[in-house]
Amino acid sequence: MKTSAFLKKYYIDRSNAQSTKWARGRKMNCLPMWVADMDFRCDERVSKALKDFIAAGDYGYTNLPEDYYQVFISWHEKRNHVHYQQDWIRFTRGAVNAMYQAVHSLTEEKDAIMINTPLYPPFKATIERCGRKVVESPLKYENGYFTFDYKDIEKKFKTKNVKMLMLCSPHNPLGRVWKKGELEELFELCSRYSVLVLSDEVHSDIIMPDQDFVSALSLKKYQKQTVSIIAASKSFSLAVFSHCHVVIPGKKLRDRFIRYQQENNTASANAFNALPTYYNYIYGEEWLDAVNNVIFDNYHYLKQKLGDYMEMTNLEGSYLLFLNLGSYNTCKSAADCLVEECHILANPGESFGKGYENWVRLNLATSPDNVKTAVDSILKLIRTKKK
Ligand SMILES: Cc1ncc(COP(=O)(O)O)c(C=O)c1O
């Protein structure tokens, strides 16, 4: 589908909607480019299937569609070249809930868990809430590119008795799509030091055209030490449904996870919340490809206009761009500067890690018009500061 046709049909003006992102924008008189959801409505066949379900009025106990698992498995086989077995799949109420349940069930109190910063804040918060210890291994930043610091990781595996590594793949907020070689080197270290990998892959359907997503479980050698968190919530903007999968090939780990779910009464999927995922996997591929194109175009436009003035991550996946305002930042935090000077609401860099006060995370899953508005106001800020 052509981008212009897609935007005409699917862009939603959410400025007066109940949307979390836009409600805060309204309150602060800002263009909201924070929270990670999209300003696009679902594919029309998905909306119709959901309307039909609602219209039928049958709201009793309901099973998942009979071919739910097959549809899920086929999607990931086709898009990500990874094969999941039905009995590996468990359900949770969203991805953060999945992290919480995995950390609780697969590690012990006070265990050390590694994260690679800067990183989406709920990773750290989950470790802390579960009474585990956070071990940070900051990503190395070289020539505009973030990557793992294997020496630091190994040193901390050796000295801090790390039991789990929580990986964000693709990475939020850096938009990195980890290369196969990077993951192999990382997983080899994890294997050597008996560290479990919990890989959050909720951004894996938003991959820029020159990139290949490598799912953690496609590296078969490491499957038994790896658990993946998989959802359609970012791919198709389904956050309100809180439906997520945890895929666990290793029987021992899976049994621990299932026991935890049974003890905490969290074992079953909510069939209504699962329907949007199911219908999108059936009908949504063309829509998703069009969304990927819109994001890629938005990114290129922004980079072309602002790239000479400030550093930004090379967007490989997700729709989240990490941008360094550098000397144009006139406040303690670049996010405050964007609110005050540009009327843009972004996520503050410092919420992802120490030392990122000059950075912001911008959400590009919106219309090119909104991105242009944001770019124009940042250019105005640049011009003012240059005087
Ligand atoms: C990497 C990652 N994991 C989890 C989430 C949250 O997912 P959920 O709303 O399903 O808890 C987000 C949201 O932005 C995310 O970026």
Side-chain angles (χ1 to χ4, degrees), residues 36 94-96 99 120 123 168 172 200 202-203 233-234:
V96 172
M99 286 185 214
Y120 175 62
F123 279 69
C168 192
N172 171 2
D200 176 338
V202 299
H203 291 281
S233 51
K234 294 295 153 196

Side-chain angles (χ1 to χ4, degrees), residues 26 80 87 141 201 241 247 262 330-331 368 386:
R26 219 160 39 230
N80 299 328
D87 62 340
Y141 184 49
E201 302 185 353
F241 295 103
V247 185
Q262 287 167 344
T330 50
C331 302
K386 276 168 93 182

Side-chain angles (χ1 to χ4, degrees), residues 96 99-100 103-104 107-115 117 119-136 164 166 351-352 354:
V96 172
M99 286 185 214
Y100 183 89
V103 166
H104 249 299
T107 64
E108 306 292 335
E109 234 184 306
K110 300 207 172 85
D111 272 357
I113 299 183
M114 179 177 282
I115 51 174
T117 48
L119 180 63
Y120 175 62
F123 279 69
K124 185 174 180 187
T126 299
I127 300 171
E128 289 170 344
R129 265 192 286 149
C130 292
R132 275 57 169 172
K133 272 191 304 229
V134 178
V135 175
E136 287 191 29
M164 177 186 269
M166 286 172 78
S351 66
F352 301 95
K354 263 192 219 130

Side-chain angles (χ1 to χ4, degrees), residues 2 5 16 53 61-62 70 79-80 92 97 100 107 124 135 138-139 152 154 264 271 278 283 324 337 343 345 369:
K2 282 225 168 85
N16 286 311
F53 181 90
Y61 294 110
T62 303
Q70 198 42 53
R79 305 260 326 176
N80 299 328
T92 60
N97 180 254
Y100 183 89
T107 64
K124 185 174 180 187
V135 175
L139 292 157
D152 182 69
E154 180 162 20
N264 291 280
Y278 172 75
Y283 298 126
N324 185 354
C337 174
H343 300 287
L345 195 53
D369 286 347

Side-chain angles (χ1 to χ4, degrees), residues 68-80:
Y68 181 90
Y69 288 98
Q70 198 42 53
V71 165
F72 174 85
I73 289 166
S74 301
W75 176 269
H76 291 281
E77 247 165 21
K78 181 172 175 208
R79 305 260 326 176
N80 299 328

